[in-house]
């Protein structure tokens, strides 16, 4: 579902795709030259076939070096050495870097500390002087070059992957694997390594590019293999024989220089496209074309006074990597004092929309396009400090699980006071006063302020969570399935409470729910989500009596079959 609608092809912009094709063509030609060198090259590159310093001629297109070796043959054979060293060194660096990065990120603790200090040291050392020192110490040769290059390249890769693994291991599914007793090795092999692999491939390609450049530099400095001339050592020899002082640079220096530049360019073009593919955020925020097919969006239902609407979501598209879209092109405006319900099946993107409004998306999520304006500020672009100032004071979230939203070892009063103090500079006593006030507003007796979460019922805990969200009087409250863990009666009570609060506090409410009969009673408008898109949005009456989208019709029909009373309520 990514391709056409987002103007991308398998997660890569057209421009990058064209670049990758160009890069691939360059590399294919070079690779073919390297493989077919014995047949393509006119002479043996190590044989003296003509007079020293011969100029280009029909028999020797690029002339000869100082002892009469054919330069064209050297150039063609040189591709073998350059590519071989580049690929092998990059492979070694990638394997070591990936192992270290994954181990450090997954094991954390002292393993992480030790490995990352080593990485830090390597990263702070300047690459070229370091390669020269190691190279001189080990003596010239192919293996030296590979060892030297890979030993400076692995560290950057390790650091990159470590940060990815750190965020991966906090995912719920990894936690649940761990809680089932899955062995570390199993989790690493089956889940972590599969998730980081798409990141490793582009890193490898980019490492080849760097390795080829480093090889040329090392060879130029005389640390190359004397028996196997590479492009770098051709340059070194030409420089040593003063080719720059005569016309000879045209056929002796320019061709190997161009060959190096082209190879590096080829790998860079492919590597960048692959990297973009594995990390959709690199696509930048492009304006995404509206896919209008199958959409029955009634914009006429947008609330009045859009300009001062406390929450405006515009064309929001969020990807969970590898082209998996969480939500696509979602637009929604929440007016002052309005209640909008977001309904839809599980996995349709409701929570993703809810989390985006307070800038708390899962680490894997990337905002590919669009904006989320809370009281005029775009939370997708806000620096963290400003975002933190906004959260709780302008917009607040009531999470799904009341129990896990509360700290089990702290009294609810202390947690409420803490929420106040985060945003205001009042005294503890004043904060406590406000907390008591808020507790009473959500229907909890002030005497319970020193209770621990486990001493309260599920419904009361959810009330406390709502009190915490509202204690700083935000303009917008987002409730992501606020009643999912509660029984039916509790569910009604909590939703009634939200309605009461909405009137008494002048709140705008966005309620995520899959319980259509209940949202019909409390919402002004309903937005129906399916597969990451809002397929229909309109007033409760319009949606329940005249659904336009086939999915909405199915949803309404299902409710009507289950609960005939819903019809009556809809006609209120
Ligand atoms: P809902 O709340 O409607 O059930 P979500 O917003 O949680 O839906 O999920 C929307 C889509 O995004 C789903 O297809 C889900 O698989 C995907 N998704 C949600 N969270 C993550 C995550 N942390 N990592 C990867 N994919 C995710
Ligand atoms: Mg959800």
């Amino acid at each position: 579902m990514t391709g056409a609608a987002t103007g991308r092809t398998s997660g890569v912009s057209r421009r990058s795709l064209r670049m990758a094709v160009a890069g691939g063509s360059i590399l294919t030609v070079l690779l073919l030259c390297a493989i077919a060198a014995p047949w393509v090259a006119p002479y043996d590159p190590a044989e003296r076939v003509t007079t020293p310093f011969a100029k280009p001629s029909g028999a020797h297109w690029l002339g000869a070096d100082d002892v009469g070796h054919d330069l064209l043959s050297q150039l063609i054979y040189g591709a073998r050495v350059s590519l071989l060293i580049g690929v092998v060194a990059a492979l070694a660096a990638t394997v070591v870097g990936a192992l270290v990065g994954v181990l450090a990120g997954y094991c954390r603790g002292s393993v992480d500390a030790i490995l990352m200090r080593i990485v830090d040291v390597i990263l702070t050392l300047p690459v070229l002087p370091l390669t020269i020192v190691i190279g001189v110490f080990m003596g010239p040769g192919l293996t030296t070059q590979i060892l030297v290059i890979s030993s400076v390249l692995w560290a950057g890769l390790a650091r990159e992957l470590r940060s990815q693994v750190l965020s991966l291991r906090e995912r719920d599914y990894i936690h649940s694997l761990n809680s089932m007793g899955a062995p570390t090795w199993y989790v690493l092999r089956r889940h972590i390594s599969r998730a980081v692999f798409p990141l490793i491939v582009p890193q490898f390609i980019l490492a080849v590019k760097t390795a080829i450049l480093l090889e040329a530099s090392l060879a130029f400095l005389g640390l190359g293999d004397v028996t196997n001339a590479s492009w770098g050592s051709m340059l070194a020899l030409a420089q040593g024989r003063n080719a720059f002082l005569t016309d000879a640079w045209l056929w002796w220096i320019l061709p190997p220089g161009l060959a190096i530049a082209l190879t590096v360019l080829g790998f860079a073009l492919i590597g960048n496209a692959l990297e973009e593919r594995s990390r959709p955020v690199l696509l930048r925020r492009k304006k995404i074309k509206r896919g209008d097919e199958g959409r029955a969006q009634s914009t006429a239902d947008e609330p009045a006074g859009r300009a001062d609407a406390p929450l405006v979501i515009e064309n929001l598209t969020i990807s969970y990597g590898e082209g998996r879209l969480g939500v696509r092109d979602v637009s929604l405006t929440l007016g002052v004092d309005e209640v909008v319900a977001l309904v839809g099946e599980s996995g349709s993107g409701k929570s993703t929309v809810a989390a985006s409004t307070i800038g708390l998306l899962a680490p894997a999520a990337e905002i590919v396009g669009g904006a989320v304006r809370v009281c005029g500020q775009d939370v997708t672009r806000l620096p963290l400090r400003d975002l933190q100032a906004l959260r709780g004071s302008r917009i607040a979230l009531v999470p799904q699980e009341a129990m896990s939203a509360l700290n089990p070892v702290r009294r609810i009063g202390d947690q409420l006071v803490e929420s106040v103090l985060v945003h205001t500079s009042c005294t503890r006593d004043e904060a406590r006063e406000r907390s008591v006030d808020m507790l009473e507003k959500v229907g909890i007796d002030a005497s319970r302020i020193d209770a621990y979460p486990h001493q309260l019922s599920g419904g009361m805990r959810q009330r406390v969570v709502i009190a915490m969200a509202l204690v700083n009087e935000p303009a917008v409250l987002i409730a992501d399935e606020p009643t999912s863990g509660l029984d039916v009666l509790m569910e009604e009570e909590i939703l009634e409470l939200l309605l009461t609060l909405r009137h008494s506090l002048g709140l705008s409410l966005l309620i995520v729910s899959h319980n259509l009969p209940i949202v019909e009673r409390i919402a002004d408008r309903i937005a129906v989500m399916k597969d990451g898109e809002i397929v229909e949005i309109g007033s409760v009456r319009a949606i329940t009596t005249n659904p336009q989208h086939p999915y909405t019709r199915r949803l309404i029909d299902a409710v009507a079959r289950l609960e005939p009373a819903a019809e009556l309520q809809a006609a209120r």
Side-chain angles (χ1 to χ4, degrees):
M1 65 176 194
T2 37
T6 57
R8 291 189 274 144
T9 310
S10 50
V12 183
S13 67
R14 293 233 164 79
R15 191 166 145 268
S16 294
L17 196 70
R18 276 201 299 272
M19 299 278 192
V21 171
S25 318
I26 296 174
L27 292 184
T28 311
V29 172
L30 282 168
L31 201 65
L32 286 179
C33 267
I35 294 170
W39 302 280
V40 181
Y43 303 97
D44 181 342
E47 208 175 311
R48 295 174 182 198
V49 286
T50 179
T51 50
F53 296 110
K55 289 196 172 177
S57 62
H60 305 279
W61 291 0
L62 294 181
D65 66 4
D66 57 333
V67 285
H69 296 147
D70 179 60
L71 282 176
L72 179 62
S73 307
Q74 283 202 341
L75 188 71
I76 294 172
Y77 272 91
R80 293 189 147 191
V81 184
S82 292
L83 287 176
L84 178 78
I85 294 183
V87 171
V88 175
L91 199 64
T94 308
V95 170
V96 175
L99 277 177
V100 170
V102 170
L103 265 182
Y106 195 77
C107 300
R108 299 196 294 196
S110 52
V111 177
D112 184 29
I114 294 169
L115 290 175
M116 282 306 115
R117 286 307 76 75
I118 299 174
V119 166
D120 285 344
V121 169
I122 291 181
L123 285 179
T124 47
L125 295 173
V127 175
L128 206 55
L130 181 67
T131 42
I132 296 170
V133 170
I134 310 178
V136 169
F137 185 69
M138 292 179 59
L142 264 182
T143 27
T144 301
Q145 282 179 304
I146 290 174
L147 267 176
V148 169
I149 294 168
S150 47
S151 60
V152 295
L153 278 188
W154 67 270
L157 213 124
R159 171 176 280 187
E160 172 87 28
L161 288 178
R162 168 187 172 264
S163 62
Q164 296 295 332
V165 174
L166 274 179
S167 92
L168 262 178
R169 79 188 300 278
E170 295 310 323
R171 297 271 176 85
D172 289 344
Y173 71 92
I174 300 289
H175 282 307
S176 78
L177 273 171
N178 289 335
S179 69
M180 287 189 304
T184 306
W185 175 238
Y186 177 85
V187 178
L188 275 175
R189 191 166 46 92
R190 292 296 297 270
H191 295 273
I192 304 277
S193 57
R194 282 184 193 187
V196 296
F197 189 71
L199 293 170
I200 295 181
V201 176
Q203 295 291 334
F204 164 69
I205 301 285
L206 293 174
V208 176
K209 173 205 77 172
T210 316
I212 287 178
L213 264 185
L214 278 177
E215 187 280 331
S217 313
L218 284 175
F220 189 74
L221 293 166
L223 294 170
D225 186 349
V226 271
T227 51
N228 286 302
S230 70
W231 295 327
S233 47
M234 280 178 79
L235 288 176
L237 195 69
Q239 158 75 2
R241 302 295 178 271
N242 296 327
F244 267 121
L245 300 180
T246 64
D247 280 350
W249 69 271
L250 272 173
W251 54 87
W252 203 350
I253 288 180
L254 201 59
L258 274 180
I260 294 171
L262 274 178
T263 317
V264 169
L265 182 70
F267 278 107
L269 290 178
I270 292 189
N272 286 340
L274 285 173
E275 197 173 32
E276 189 173 276
R277 195 187 157 170
S278 66
R279 280 193 291 188
V281 72
L282 297 176
L283 272 171
R284 299 261 157 65
R285 304 147 163 289
K286 289 206 184 103
K287 206 75 194 154
I288 288 170
K289 260 209 325 243
R290 213 170 229 290
D292 275 329
E293 337 78 54
R295 205 179 274 236
Q297 202 153 329
S298 45
T299 37
D301 266 311
E302 292 280 298
R306 201 189 135 99
D308 54 279
L311 175 67
V312 181
I313 302 174
E314 286 173 350
N315 308 102
L316 184 69
T317 297
I318 295 173
S319 155
Y320 280 103
E322 296 165 45
R324 271 183 296 133
L325 278 192
V327 302
R328 180 166 68 178
D329 202 13
V330 164
S331 294
L332 182 71
T333 302
L334 185 63
V336 177
D337 205 10
E338 197 193 17
V339 180
V340 173
L342 206 53
V343 302
E345 62 199 353
S346 177
S348 57
K350 306 183 299 292
S351 294
T352 307
V353 171
S356 74
T357 60
I358 54 163
L360 277 181
L361 287 162
E366 307 282 8
I367 296 175
V368 184
V372 180
R373 273 181 250 287
V374 173
C375 303
Q377 286 181 287
D378 184 356
V379 300
T380 63
R381 288 155 205 257
L382 226 47
L384 187 61
R385 280 180 71 93
D386 298 346
L387 196 57
Q388 284 168 340
L390 206 70
R391 289 180 191 147
S393 68
R394 292 300 183 87
I395 184 164
L397 178 83
V398 176
Q400 201 162 325
E401 287 292 324
M403 193 58 204
S404 51
L406 293 170
N407 185 337
V409 297
R410 296 192 62 200
R411 300 173 196 278
I412 57 166
D414 293 342
Q415 300 189 46
L416 272 160
V417 167
E418 191 173 50
S419 309
V420 178
L421 293 178
V422 165
H423 285 288
T424 40
S425 50
C426 62
T427 64
R428 261 200 114 67
D429 286 342
E430 282 164 353
R432 198 168 162 92
E433 216 169 283
R434 262 171 80 170
S435 305
V436 170
D437 211 38
M438 200 64 232
L439 272 185
E440 284 179 339
K441 281 202 181 110
V442 300
I444 292 183
D445 196 80
S447 62
R448 307 301 302 267
I449 190 162
D450 286 325
Y452 286 96
H454 72 267
Q455 295 169 323
L456 304 175
S457 70
M460 285 170 90
R461 282 200 291 262
Q462 191 57 287
R463 284 167 190 268
V464 174
V465 173
I466 292 172
M468 271 173 77
L470 293 180
V471 74
N472 290 306
E473 295 168 4
V476 185
L477 184 71
I478 312 287
D480 188 356
E481 309 209 16
T483 55
S484 64
L486 305 177
D487 61 47
V488 186
L489 284 179
M490 271 307 163
E491 199 170 352
E492 294 231 24
E493 266 183 32
I494 293 288
L495 288 167
E496 290 293 343
L497 169 69
L498 284 176
L499 258 193
T500 320
L501 291 169
R502 168 229 180 165
H503 290 305
S504 60
L505 302 177
L507 269 180
S508 302
L509 259 177
L510 180 67
I511 296 187
V512 176
S513 178
H514 51 243
N515 193 335
L516 203 54
I518 284 196
V519 304
E520 277 173 18
R521 284 181 37 214
I522 64 167
D524 299 315
R525 290 190 300 145
I526 293 180
V528 184
M529 286 197 78
K530 185 173 189 327
D531 298 335
E533 290 182 86
I534 293 187
V535 290
E536 184 160 7
I537 179 166
S539 69
V540 171
R541 183 181 288 266
I543 297 276
T544 49
T545 56
N546 187 20
Q548 298 294 314
H549 194 275
Y551 174 70
T552 318
R553 258 177 252 143
R554 281 214 308 278
L555 212 64
I556 304 282
D557 285 350
V559 174
R561 270 204 308 281
L562 283 173
E563 197 176 336
E567 297 273 348
L568 292 173
Q569 281 157 0
R572 65 196 165 131

